[in-house]
C-alpha cells in the first residue's frame, strides 16, 4: 500500500486562475479602473521572508494585482513600524496589508498585528478576524488552513462526520485549522506539546493535520490505516545522520545530491514512510506550502471587493 500523493501544484494553479478571473472582473467594474492593491511590509533581511515577498510580488504581477513592498531596516522599532502601518491603514488605495513574519526581536509582534486595520488584514491574524472565524462567519482566514480546506474540498475528501486531529495550536495554523474543520462538521481534536500519548489520539484521526514544526514527529505508528494526512511542516535539516533516520529507504539519489549542493534538505513534520499506512498525504516540499500565496491573494481580492461595496475605493 502506498498513499495517494496530494500534490499542491494543481490546486495552486486552480486557485490562481480563479483569482486572475476575479481581478479582471473587479478591475472592469471599479471606478476609476484600478486593480486590488497589496502592500507587504518587510522588516530586516531574513532570507526566507525575502524570497516569499519576491514570489508574492511576481505572482501579483502575473494575476494583475497591484503590489508594493515596504522595506524597513532590521533596527526598526515598534513605534516606527506602527507609524508606517497607520499610513497604510489611512491610504484608500491599499486594500491589503501583509506584515511579513517573523519580525526582529525588538518589535512587539502582537502590538503590530493588532494595529493593522482588520478590513485590510489579509493574513487573518487580527483579533477581530480571529473572533469572526471562531464564530463561524469569517472575513479573512489565515492562508495555510484556508488552503488545506480548499484542497480537501476540491479533491472531494469528506470532512463532515469524520474525526479530524490537528497537531499544533498556533494562531497561524493550528487554531484556525481546528475552527474550519469544526465548522464543516468534523469531530475535531487539537493536540500539542503537552498532550499525553500523542499516538493514541492521532491514530483515531480520519484526517490528520501536522503543524508543529518538528521534523519527522509523525510516523506510521501515529497514523490510522487509510487516513488523510496533511503535512504543514517546513523544516530545514542539515545533519545527514538525522536525515537518514527521517527519510530511511525513501531517500533518493536526487535527495542526497540536493543535500550536498545546499547543505540541507527541507522535510515535513510527517515521515515519508507514513505513506505505507495513510490513504493519502501531502508531500513536503510540493504540498500545502504552494497554496499560501494564492490564499493571501484570495483575501486581497475579497478585501478590495468589500471596500468597493462600502464605497471606500471611490476615494482613490
Amino acid at each position: 500500500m502506498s498513499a495517494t500523493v496530494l500534490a499542491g501544484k494543481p490546486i495552486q494553479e486552480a486557485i490562481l486562475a480563479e483569482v486572475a478571473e476575479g481581478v479582471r472582473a473587479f478591475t472592469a467594474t471599479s471606478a476609476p479602473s484600478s486593480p486590488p492593491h497589496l502592500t507587504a511590509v518587510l522588516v530586516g533581511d531574513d532570507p526566507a521572508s525575502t524570497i516569499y515577498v519576491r514570489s508574492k510580488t511576481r505572482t501579483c504581477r502575473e494575476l494583475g494585482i497591484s503590489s508594493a513592498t515596504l522595506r524597513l531596516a532590521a533596527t526598526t522599532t515598534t513605534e516606527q513600524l506602527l507609524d508606517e502601518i497607520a499610513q497604510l491603514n489611512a491610504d484608500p488605495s491599499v486594500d491589503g496589508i501583509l506584515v511579513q513574519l517573523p519580525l526582529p526581536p525588538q518589535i512587539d509582534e502582537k502590538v503590530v498585528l493588532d494595529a493593522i486595520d482588520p478590513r485590510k488584514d489579509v493574513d487573518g491574524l487580527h483579533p477581530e478576524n480571529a473572533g469572526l472565524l471562531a464564530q463561524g462567519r469569517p472575513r479573512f482566514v489565515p492562508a495555510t488552513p484556508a488552503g488545506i480546506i480548499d484542497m480537501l474540498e476540491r479533491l472531494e475528501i469528506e470532512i463532515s462526520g469524520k474525526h479530524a486531529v490537528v497537531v499544533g495550536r498556533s494562531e497561524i495554523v493550528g487554531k484556525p485549522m481546528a475552527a474550519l474543520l469544526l465548522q464543516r462538521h468534523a469531530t475535531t481534536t487539537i493536540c500539542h506539546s503537552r498532550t499525553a500519548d500523542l499516538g493514541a489520539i492521532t491514530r483515531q484521526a480520519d484526517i490528520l493535520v501536522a503543524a508543529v514544526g518538528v521534523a519527522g514527529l509523525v510516523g506510521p505508528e501515529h497514523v490510522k490505516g487509510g487516513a488523510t494526512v496533511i503535512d504543514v511542516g517546513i523544516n530545514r535539516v542539515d545533519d545527514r545522520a538525522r536525515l537518514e533516520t527521517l527519510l530511511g529507504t525513501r531517500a533518493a539519489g536526487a535527495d542526497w545530491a540536493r543535500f550536498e549542493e545546499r547543505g540541507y534538505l527541507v522535510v515535513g513534520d510527517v515521515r515519508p514512510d507514513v505513506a505505507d499506512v495513510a490513504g493519502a498525504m501531502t508531500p513536503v516540499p510540493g504540498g500545502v506550502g504552494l497554496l499560501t500565496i494564492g490564499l493571501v491573494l484570495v483575501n486581497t481580492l475579497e478585501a478590495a471587493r468589500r471596500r468597493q461595496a462600502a464605497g471606500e475605493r471611490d476615494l482613490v
Side-chain angles (χ1 to χ4, degrees), residues 66-85:
S66 170
S67 70
T69 301
L70 176 61
R71 299 178 183 275
L72 302 173
T75 55
T76 299
T77 65
T78 298
E79 291 69 25
Q80 290 170 331
L81 182 50
L82 290 175
D83 287 343
E84 297 289 350
I85 289 174

Side-chain angles (χ1 to χ4, degrees), residues 158-182:
E158 186 66 42
I159 301 174
S160 178
K162 301 300 182 181
H163 187 182
V165 175
V166 180
V167 185
R169 52 178 169 176
S170 71
E171 306 297 334
I172 297 175
V173 181
K175 291 178 182 177
M177 186 77 253
L180 291 171
L181 289 164
L182 187 63

Side-chain angles (χ1 to χ4, degrees), residues 47-259:
S49 295
T50 300
I51 291 171
Y52 174 80
V53 170
R54 187 185 305 131
S55 179
K56 179 273 306 175
T57 301
R58 182 177 63 252
T59 305
C60 283
R61 184 169 57 250
E62 292 170 353
L63 301 185
I65 292 175
S66 170
S67 70
T69 301
L70 176 61
R71 299 178 183 275
L72 302 173
T75 55
T76 299
T77 65
T78 298
E79 291 69 25
Q80 290 170 331
L81 182 50
L82 290 175
D83 287 343
E84 297 289 350
I85 289 174
Q87 293 181 48
L88 295 174
N89 284 342
D91 187 342
S93 70
V94 175
D95 295 300
I97 301 170
L98 185 156
V99 175
Q100 184 60 36
L101 304 178
L103 293 169
Q106 77 277 7
I107 295 178
D108 191 324
E109 184 176 294
K110 287 187 177 180
V111 169
V112 168
L113 296 178
D114 288 358
I116 299 172
D117 184 336
R119 299 169 300 174
K120 299 186 179 188
D121 167 40
V122 294
D123 261 341
L125 299 178
H126 189 282
E128 182 176 312
N129 289 323
L132 287 169
L133 174 58
Q135 289 187 344
R137 47 193 187 115
R139 178 195 282 142
F140 304 123
V141 178
T144 299
I148 292 169
I149 291 295
D150 195 301
M151 172 181 277
L152 293 174
E153 292 182 339
R154 287 178 191 269
L155 297 177
E156 299 183 346
I157 294 173
E158 186 66 42
I159 301 174
S160 178
K162 301 300 182 181
H163 187 182
V165 175
V166 180
V167 185
R169 52 178 169 176
S170 71
E171 306 297 334
I172 297 175
V173 181
K175 291 178 182 177
M177 186 77 253
L180 291 171
L181 289 164
L182 187 63
Q183 288 161 21
R184 285 158 180 78
H185 312 297
T187 299
T188 305
T189 303
I190 300 180
C191 298
H192 46 77
S193 60
R194 298 191 182 184
T195 298
D197 197 354
L198 179 65
I201 298 174
T202 58
R203 283 193 297 272
Q204 300 175 38
D206 301 300
I207 300 171
L208 176 61
V209 180
V212 287
V214 178
L217 175 70
V218 175
E221 69 276 14
H222 294 93
V223 178
K224 174 182 178 180
T228 297
V229 180
I230 307 295
D231 191 353
V232 182
I234 301 290
N235 309 290
R236 287 174 53 141
V237 179
D238 57 12
D239 181 270
R240 186 181 181 107
R242 174 70 173 143
L243 283 169
E244 289 174 347
T245 300
L246 293 172
L247 301 180
T249 59
R250 292 180 181 271
D255 293 323
W256 296 121
R258 282 194 297 272
F259 176 79

